[in-house]
């Protein structure tokens, strides 16, 4: 049953070969958990097309393959998932629109572009709100987060589960960044930074004195290569699996925002599934989400070290330097906390504080 899995590992090993030098492409990742649970009844054959933004070597893809394997095994081959990585079918926004029209069955966007459907999701975009992975996981598994998933009802999208995109870090090709002043550039222009299509992210980089430029992820590599933008911000694993080190000289461990992924299915597709198939898809989504968080945590520090090996100069910020960034982005809270909901922001702050004292 794990033929798909073996294929993934072969692809993974071959994905990132740069400058003729082969690097170990994945850390020693945890194997997928054993697939458990009864087989479901025969409710016909179903093929689901799933579009992803990231590459085959990413935790997003590897865990999606596990999701496909669960469905394959527990339906005795009747439910097939065909995965299209690397933004082949469009960016997050385009793929969510395809789910609404029923021209694509599943996708796995970051929460940030999904705020157009559920505004409360912008709580995850507030800078420095979730300081640790433990706090982030607790927030994603909270009742408040489940309410956000439920709030997609009526949008044409059904949100199945949160998992980890990760802590976002800054990279650029212009200069080392260890302070907000380095972003703004006191005697030179501020850095032009690609952001996701999300107003809170724009506000963060404006507060830091950058020139934020919203752009689809699939266009980003060539934009950096051509100097259209100086840099971008993403988790280390994405920076690595997308080969950004080839066009970015500097990295800064800012951890300024923790972004979840949301596994989604088209409401039209969902409504066509037998209830027993629906239950299986939901269960598999949650199991694959837990596995994706595990993979992402294993990938993170390893990816940073790999980037350094490939020549990226990475600046690790100390608490004092992080505090300077936090102070600089305070206006983002003043503007956005009332719009997102003071109670929701306070709940996430409570989760963050309790995770720090445990």
């Amino acid at each position: 049953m794990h033929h798909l899995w073996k294929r993934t590992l072969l692809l993974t090993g071959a994905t990132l070969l740069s400058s003729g030098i082969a690097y170990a492409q994945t850390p020693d990742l945890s194997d997928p958990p054993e697939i458990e649970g009864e087989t479901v009844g025969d409710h016909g054959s179903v093929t689901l097309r799933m579009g992803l933004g990231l590459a085959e070597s990413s935790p997003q893809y590897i865990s999606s393959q596990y999701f496909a394997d669960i469905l394959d095994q527990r339906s005795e081959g009747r439910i097939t998932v065909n995965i299209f990585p690397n933004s082949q079918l469009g960016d997050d926004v385009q793929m969510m629109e395809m789910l609404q029209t029923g021209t694509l069955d599943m996708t796995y966007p970051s929460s940030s572009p999904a705020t157009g459907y559920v505004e409360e999701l912008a709580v995850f975009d507030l800078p420095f709100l979730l300081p640790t992975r433990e706090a982030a996981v607790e927030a994603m598994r909270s009742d408040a987060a489940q309410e956000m998933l439920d709030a997609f009802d009526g949008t044409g999208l059904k949100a199945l589960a949160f998992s980890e995109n990760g802590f976002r870090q800054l990279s650029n090709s212009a200069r080392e960044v260890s302070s907000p002043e380095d972003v703004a550039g006191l005697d030179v222009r501020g850095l032009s930074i690609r952001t996701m299509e999300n107003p809170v992210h724009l506000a963060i980089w404006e507060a830091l004195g950058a020139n934020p430029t919203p752009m689809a992820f699939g266009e980003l590599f060539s934009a950096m290569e051509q100097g259209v933008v100086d840099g971008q911000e993403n988790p280390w694993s994405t920076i690595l699996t997308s080969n950004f080190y080839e066009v970015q000289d500097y990295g800064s461990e800012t951890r300024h925002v923790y972004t979840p992924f949301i596994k989604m299915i088209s409401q039209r597709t969902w409504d066509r599934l037998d209830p027993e198939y629906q239950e299986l898809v939901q269960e598999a989504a949650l199991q694959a989400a837990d596995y994706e968080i595990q993979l992402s945590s294993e990938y993170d520090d390893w990816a940073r070290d790999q980037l350094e090996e490939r020549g990226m100069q990475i600046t690790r910020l100390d608490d004092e330097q992080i505090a300077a960034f936090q102070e600089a982005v305070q206006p983002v809270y003043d503007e956005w906390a009332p719009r997102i909901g003071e109670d929701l922001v306070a709940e996430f702050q409570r989760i963050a504080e309790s995770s720090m004292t445990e």
Side-chain angles (χ1 to χ4, degrees):
M1 280 297 169
H2 290 290
H3 57 289
L4 295 172
W5 186 252
K6 287 172 183 155
R7 189 178 74 208
T8 305
L9 294 182
L10 288 172
L11 279 169
T12 303
T15 302
L16 290 191
L17 301 178
S18 177
S19 312
I21 304 166
Y23 290 91
Q25 198 32 56
T26 51
D28 192 11
L29 295 173
S30 295
D31 289 333
E34 283 298 312
I35 296 171
E36 295 173 349
E38 295 176 9
T39 29
V40 294
D42 183 351
H43 307 290
S45 292
V46 174
T47 300
L48 301 173
R49 294 168 71 246
M50 178 191 276
L52 305 181
L54 300 186
E56 291 94 335
S57 49
S58 65
Q60 186 189 56
Y61 180 91
I62 298 170
S63 66
S64 295
Q65 197 65 76
Y66 175 55
F67 170 77
D69 284 350
I70 296 171
L71 296 184
D72 177 59
Q73 186 165 318
R74 291 189 55 195
S75 69
E76 296 183 320
R78 286 186 287 272
I79 303 177
T80 304
V81 182
N82 292 333
I83 303 171
F84 299 86
N86 287 311
S87 306
Q88 285 175 45
L89 304 182
D91 64 25
D92 282 352
V93 172
Q94 291 164 328
M95 288 192 284
M96 283 188 282
E97 288 168 354
M98 290 167 74
L99 260 62
Q100 285 185 291
T101 59
T103 51
L104 180 64
D105 299 305
M106 297 191 71
T107 190
Y108 207 171
S110 293
S111 59
S112 304
T115 55
Y117 300 97
V118 176
E119 193 173 26
E120 291 82 359
L121 285 169
V123 70
F124 284 106
D125 297 306
L126 289 173
F128 304 103
L129 178 60
L130 297 169
T132 63
R133 177 172 283 106
E134 291 70 32
V137 170
E138 193 176 331
M140 289 191 292
R141 297 292 179 260
S142 66
D143 291 343
Q146 184 58 50
E147 285 172 18
M148 290 182 228
L149 296 180
D150 294 342
F152 278 93
D153 188 31
T155 64
L157 307 168
K158 180 168 178 62
L160 298 170
F162 282 113
S163 71
E164 174 166 306
N165 187 344
F167 284 104
R168 305 182 77 79
Q169 323 284 6
L170 175 65
S171 75
N172 82 95
S173 57
R175 54 185 176 263
E176 183 182 354
V177 172
S178 58
S179 69
E181 290 75 21
D182 295 332
V183 176
L186 296 179
D187 47 2
V188 288
R189 64 179 175 79
L191 294 174
S192 57
I193 302 296
R194 175 267 176 181
T195 68
M196 287 189 281
E197 296 165 71
N198 174 281
V200 184
H201 286 231
L202 288 170
I204 291 169
W205 292 102
E206 281 166 1
L208 290 169
N211 171 27
T213 307
M215 182 185 297
F217 184 78
E219 300 165 17
L220 177 54
F221 186 96
S222 58
M224 292 190 295
E225 190 172 36
Q226 293 160 19
V228 176
V229 292
D230 296 315
Q232 59 83 55
E233 41 86 64
N234 260 298
W236 293 133
S237 59
T238 302
I239 294 171
L240 176 68
T241 58
S242 305
N243 298 354
F244 289 168
Y245 56 88
E246 294 179 359
V247 290
Q248 299 276 274
D249 299 323
Y250 304 97
S252 300
E253 194 154 40
T254 48
R255 294 166 66 88
H256 51 276
V257 167
Y258 179 94
T259 314
F261 283 130
I262 308 174
K263 184 158 282 188
M264 295 180 176
I265 187 166
S266 164
Q267 188 70 50
R268 292 184 185 204
T269 303
W270 178 260
D271 291 342
R272 285 199 301 269
L273 294 176
D274 180 90
E276 198 176 11
Y277 280 7
Q278 289 179 341
E279 196 178 324
L280 174 57
V281 167
Q282 178 65 75
E283 207 174 303
L286 290 168
Q287 290 170 344
D290 286 342
Y291 181 47
E292 196 276 341
I293 293 169
Q294 173 75 31
L295 290 175
S296 189
S297 67
E298 292 166 0
Y299 225 112
D300 198 36
D301 288 347
W302 175 87
R304 180 195 60 200
D305 295 343
Q306 286 288 307
L307 289 165
E308 283 186 312
E309 279 187 34
R310 295 164 199 223
M312 186 180 270
Q313 180 185 325
I314 291 179
T315 305
R316 291 162 172 77
L317 305 182
D318 61 29
D319 291 346
E320 201 172 312
Q321 290 169 315
I322 291 288
F325 277 93
Q326 284 178 294
E327 192 175 333
V329 298
Q330 186 55 44
V332 179
Y333 277 83
D334 300 338
E335 180 188 353
W336 279 94
R339 295 173 65 172
I340 294 166
E342 302 278 6
D343 290 349
L344 179 58
V345 174
E347 172 65 6
F348 270 44
Q349 287 171 328
R350 185 197 62 72
I351 289 170
E353 283 161 20
S354 71
S355 78
M356 300 294 279
T357 54
E358 281 168 9

